[in-house]
Amino acid sequence: MAEIRPVNEYTGMATLSHAFYVVDMGEPEGIALPSMTADTRITATESNSCLTITAGSSEWDPVKISLLVYGQEPEPLTGDWTHTEAFSCTATDTPASFTTGTDPDDMFQDPPPDDLFAMPGLEAPYRWKGRLHVAASGTEEHCLQFWPA
């Protein structure tokens, strides 16, 4: 079976001012509270348009975050991931904003492109399925895979 490659992807280093970060997928009605359990690291608002991801590192520690957008469901990533978790969300817009909780400043040194979630043929509302992969060897690393639901 041929490997499914991402249509769009981004990797950047983020400095978190809280032990979680938020992916705003359009017009959320509030922010999901971060999970307090080790087996759940990603939560979504009731409208699914805002994801909150809990980091295992302490505040102000850098986290490497990769966002991979696919045209169809890919296989889970291989590697030394210590945590993998499925999620779903609904975006009301193709651009996404990223914050470290209530801090409005960009958390990435180099922000992701505005067209990261833009895919030809898809129309709002954009329904996504995804997987969060987490590894912690030295710098904590998160990889989020997204594909159309």
Side-chain angles (χ1 to χ4, degrees):
M1 184 169 163
E3 178 184 5
I4 298 171
R5 308 280 310 156
V7 175
N8 292 318
E9 60 186 298
Y10 167 83
T11 298
M13 292 301 293
T15 301
L16 307 185
S17 59
H18 300 282
F20 64 91
Y21 59 96
V22 174
V23 178
D24 175 348
M25 304 288 286
E27 299 174 11
E29 297 171 5
I31 294 175
L33 294 175
S35 174
M36 297 299 172
T37 67
D39 57 337
T40 302
R41 300 284 293 274
I42 188 166
T43 55
T45 55
E46 192 170 306
S47 65
N48 291 326
S49 59
C50 186
L51 301 171
T52 301
I53 299 97
T54 306
S57 59
S58 62
E59 295 175 14
W60 304 110
D61 285 343
V63 176
K64 181 181 177 182
I65 300 173
S66 297
L67 305 162
L68 307 175
V69 181
Y70 299 83
Q72 61 186 14
E73 182 176 358
E75 292 292 322
L77 297 173
T78 58
D80 295 328
W81 303 103
T82 57
H83 179 83
T84 302
E85 183 176 341
F87 64 90
S88 61
C89 60
T90 301
T92 56
D93 199 0
T94 54
S97 63
F98 306 87
T99 61
T100 61
T102 57
D103 189 342
D105 296 330
D106 287 336
M107 65 183 187
F108 288 109
Q109 294 167 357
D110 297 309
D114 287 340
D115 63 350
L116 182 68
F117 289 95
M119 293 190 60
L122 292 183
E123 295 182 12
Y126 306 94
R127 300 193 195 299
W128 298 98
K129 288 196 176 276
R131 255 184 235 107
L132 166 67
H133 299 272
V134 178
S137 57
T139 300
E140 185 170 348
E141 183 175 355
H142 291 195
C143 185
L144 288 95
Q145 296 176 296
F146 291 87
W147 62 91

